[in-house]
Amino acid sequence: MNTPALVSSDEIRDRFSTAMSAMYQAEVPQYETLLELVAQVNRETLERNTVLAERLAAHDGLDRLGVERHGAIRVGTPAELAMLRRLFAVMGMHPVGYYDLSQAGVPVHSTAFRPVDEAALSRNPFRVFTSLLRLELIESPALRERAAAILAERDIFTANARELIALSESQGGLSDAQADRFVTEALETFRWHRDATVDLPTYEALHAEHRLIADVVCFRGPHINHLTPRTLDIDEVQKRMSAAGMTPKEVIEGPPRRDCPILLRQTSFKALEEPTRFQGERQGTHTARFGEIEQRGVALTGKGRALYDRLLDASRDNTQGLSHEAHQQALAKAFADFPDDEAELRRRGLAFFEYRLTDAGRAADAGMETDLEALIEQGLVEARPITYEDFLPVSAAGIFQSNLGGTQNDAYAGHANREAFESALGAAVTDELALYAEREAASKARVFKTLARTNTD
Ligand code: OOG
Ligand code: NI
């Protein structure tokens, strides 16, 4: 038998992310409006800020900007999560990071399926924040068992999707036509279903325990609950959202506005009330799906992240309940101690950078120099900030809560259980900090290797 020519997993991810965006625009028309607003603000930002435009162009960032988005889903059982891992692997998306949301009163823990290597990220960095419901945190044994029984009845994957995943695993990839079929079949898992699998009283009982539990348990599949394009100016998009007919979340999650963006800033428009048919022909509504935007900055080292977490935590008392402008001002004040200068972030080991020889560096005879800072000062090496590709648990909790009507159950807190999550997943999650550190170290090694070669020539 001839083996068909295989397309790359990057290509499949790119097709899938495009198909997912088209489906969500059709399902949630406000998302289309959001995409237009973000594209408009990105265009204006690039026109106004030529330094940023040149930098993005030089760092291969312009191409990826137009396709960049993440999505989020929530699943109910270990088997669903394990199968999703295999489904995402077909598209070169692997579990990175463990997020414990129980600390924020939400009964889930999560990972992000995303591409990990540089080439894959620059082709299309599509990521899916994926949460597993923690039924064990439901207090009532009767409700817990009822939820488990409902979940046991459903299969969120089509038979064809299962087949194509197995085929991809045995073949080491998919052909062009198989990839198209895979995208169509995989998309079915993420589609919205207007019909609930339960009657209204069951929905209401689960909803009363936590709205998220009803969202995960009562439907045939883990509908994609939001998609998030990347903006270059989140404050501007937030400002214009109301005029475009969206109700923005009160405040932007994450660090304050800065000259050197760090980590991730996020805001969303509130979830929509959607007509739902419950079993027994009862009509009702369900509120789950929303739109989000994000602005990404440099990835922080463990030291930088610890400083971020400490300042964010300390800011809480002074920022709580404030509206957008006042919130940003108080947050900026709280972050006054966080250096807002690339060179300082680098010298103090707070952020990750990628090092490259400049044209001058390639021409120079600098082989004996081993001090990176000296090489940078001499204009022989440049340091580029490495973009943060992951998520932030406190921000994620803020996004969850603004779309769950602020429900929070403190009884869930203190239950991080990474082992249980990994055992459900059927694999370990990759440590995100290790990925950035490896990329930085590899870039340094390349610089010194090239310099050494130049010197001995
Ligand atoms: C996920 C919320 C978290 C983010 O961007 O931090 C998230 C969810 O609501 O399922 O998407
Ligand atoms: Ni999100």
Side-chain angles (χ1 to χ4, degrees):
M1 196 182 87
N2 285 337
T3 344
L6 305 178
V7 295
S8 70
S9 53
D10 292 344
E11 171 66 24
I12 307 178
R13 179 174 68 261
D14 193 47
R15 288 183 199 176
F16 182 77
S17 131
T18 304
M20 181 87 110
S21 178
M23 180 177 87
Y24 204 58
Q25 287 176 61
E27 287 182 349
V28 180
Q30 277 202 348
Y31 178 64
E32 192 179 353
T33 312
L34 183 69
L35 281 183
E36 283 160 13
L37 180 59
V38 166
Q40 174 74 24
V41 168
N42 284 354
R43 263 196 309 276
E44 290 172 22
T45 308
L46 289 169
E47 270 164 29
R48 204 179 50 240
N49 189 342
T50 48
V51 174
L52 177 66
E54 278 163 22
R55 194 169 187 170
L56 270 177
H59 298 192
D60 300 330
L62 273 186
D63 289 345
R64 100 172 212 185
L65 186 64
V67 300
E68 175 148 7
R69 59 185 75 91
H70 81 251
I73 53 168
R74 308 152 183 168
V75 295
T77 68
E80 290 175 355
L81 183 68
M83 193 65 193
L84 274 177
R85 173 176 61 77
R86 295 171 56 197
L87 179 145
F88 284 127
V90 174
M91 301 186 259
M93 298 161 78
H94 306 285
V96 178
Y98 172 74
Y99 302 90
D100 167 33
L101 277 301
S102 75
Q103 58 168 333
V106 183
V108 303
H109 45 188
S110 321
T111 190
F113 288 99
R114 69 163 177 89
V116 289
D117 70 59
E118 252 175 275
L121 284 164
S122 74
R123 171 74 192 275
N124 186 326
F126 182 57
R127 338 168 166 76
V128 178
F129 190 89
T130 303
S131 301
L132 174 65
L133 180 63
R134 304 182 63 184
L135 283 180
E136 76 274 18
L137 297 184
I138 299 184
E139 230 169 284
S140 147
L143 198 59
R144 199 162 55 219
E145 276 158 34
R146 176 103 183 86
I150 298 166
L151 286 168
E153 290 283 300
R154 73 179 189 184
D155 185 353
I156 64 172
F157 304 97
T158 68
N160 287 336
R162 286 180 181 277
E163 245 172 59
L164 286 158
I165 291 165
L167 182 65
S168 172
E169 287 168 348
S170 65
Q171 238 175 209
L174 296 175
S175 72
D176 188 55
Q178 289 162 351
D180 279 339
R181 271 177 44 225
F182 169 81
V183 167
T184 305
E185 294 292 335
L187 209 55
E188 285 306 306
T189 295
F190 302 89
R191 190 180 292 289
W192 169 246
H193 300 282
R194 210 187 149 159
D195 295 308
T197 53
V198 301
D199 58 17
L200 192 54
T202 304
Y203 174 86
E204 281 169 349
L206 290 165
H207 194 280
E209 169 70 27
H210 198 290
R211 193 151 115 189
L212 187 103
I213 299 175
D215 182 60
V216 176
V217 174
C218 301
F219 296 87
R220 254 193 296 143
H223 37 256
I224 180 92
N225 69 55
H226 67 279
L227 283 180
T228 307
R230 178 174 173 187
T231 176
L232 298 173
D233 189 343
I234 197 168
D235 304 86
E236 193 56 36
V237 180
Q238 168 96 353
K239 223 180 282 168
R240 295 190 201 177
M241 253 187 303
S242 303
M246 289 165 270
T247 311
K249 183 178 171 310
E250 283 76 14
V251 298
I252 295 174
E253 298 291 339
R257 185 182 185 89
R258 299 157 42 94
D259 290 336
C260 298
I262 53 170
L263 297 173
L264 175 64
R265 301 177 71 212
Q266 296 165 284
T267 185
S268 61
F269 68 71
K270 295 251 177 115
L272 315 168
E273 238 182 45
E274 297 176 276
T276 306
R277 255 191 318 255
F278 293 93
Q279 302 228 315
E281 293 304 312
R282 295 276 296 275
Q283 300 292 327
T285 60
H286 179 64
T287 312
R289 301 188 309 152
F290 59 98
E292 185 193 39
I293 49 172
E294 64 184 17
Q295 183 171 359
R296 290 188 176 265
V298 66
L300 299 185
T301 60
K303 185 178 166 199
R305 179 55 186 271
L307 180 60
Y308 169 79
D309 286 339
R310 185 159 60 72
L311 296 180
L312 187 71
D313 202 44
S315 77
R316 187 135 328 147
D317 289 345
N318 301 325
T319 55
Q320 210 143 43
L322 295 182
S323 63
H324 177 60
E325 277 303 321
H327 178 265
Q328 278 298 308
Q329 275 167 19
L331 205 56
K333 222 164 136 194
F335 274 79
D337 284 344
F338 207 113
D340 194 11
D341 171 86
E342 266 179 26
E344 209 185 331
L345 287 171
R346 197 181 64 233
R347 283 190 213 113
R348 288 181 46 184
L350 295 170
F352 287 111
F353 290 84
E354 186 168 274
Y355 298 94
R356 293 177 186 230
L357 285 174
T358 60
D359 289 340
R362 268 184 294 275
D365 185 8
M368 297 320 280
E369 184 57 80
T370 52
D371 178 4
L372 209 49
E373 284 301 322
L375 289 163
I376 293 170
E377 220 145 87
Q378 293 162 37
L380 304 179
V381 168
E382 81 169 315
R384 295 177 176 184
I386 297 179
T387 301
Y388 189 59
E389 308 285 355
D390 295 286
F391 294 86
L392 297 168
V394 173
S395 297
I399 298 283
F400 265 110
Q401 267 144 16
S402 91
N403 288 294
L404 294 168
T407 32
Q408 169 164 354
N409 185 342
D410 292 333
Y412 296 147
H415 285 93
N417 193 342
R418 184 180 173 144
E419 289 84 63
F421 185 83
E422 291 182 331
S423 129
L425 185 67
V429 300
T430 302
D431 173 27
E432 68 276 20
L433 284 185
L435 288 175
Y436 300 116
E438 262 166 43
R439 187 160 155 191
E440 183 179 273
S443 77
K444 279 187 196 169
R446 272 196 305 272
V447 162
F448 288 118
K449 199 170 153 198
T450 314
L451 280 180
R453 206 180 300 138
T454 316
N455 197 43
T456 52
D457 280 348

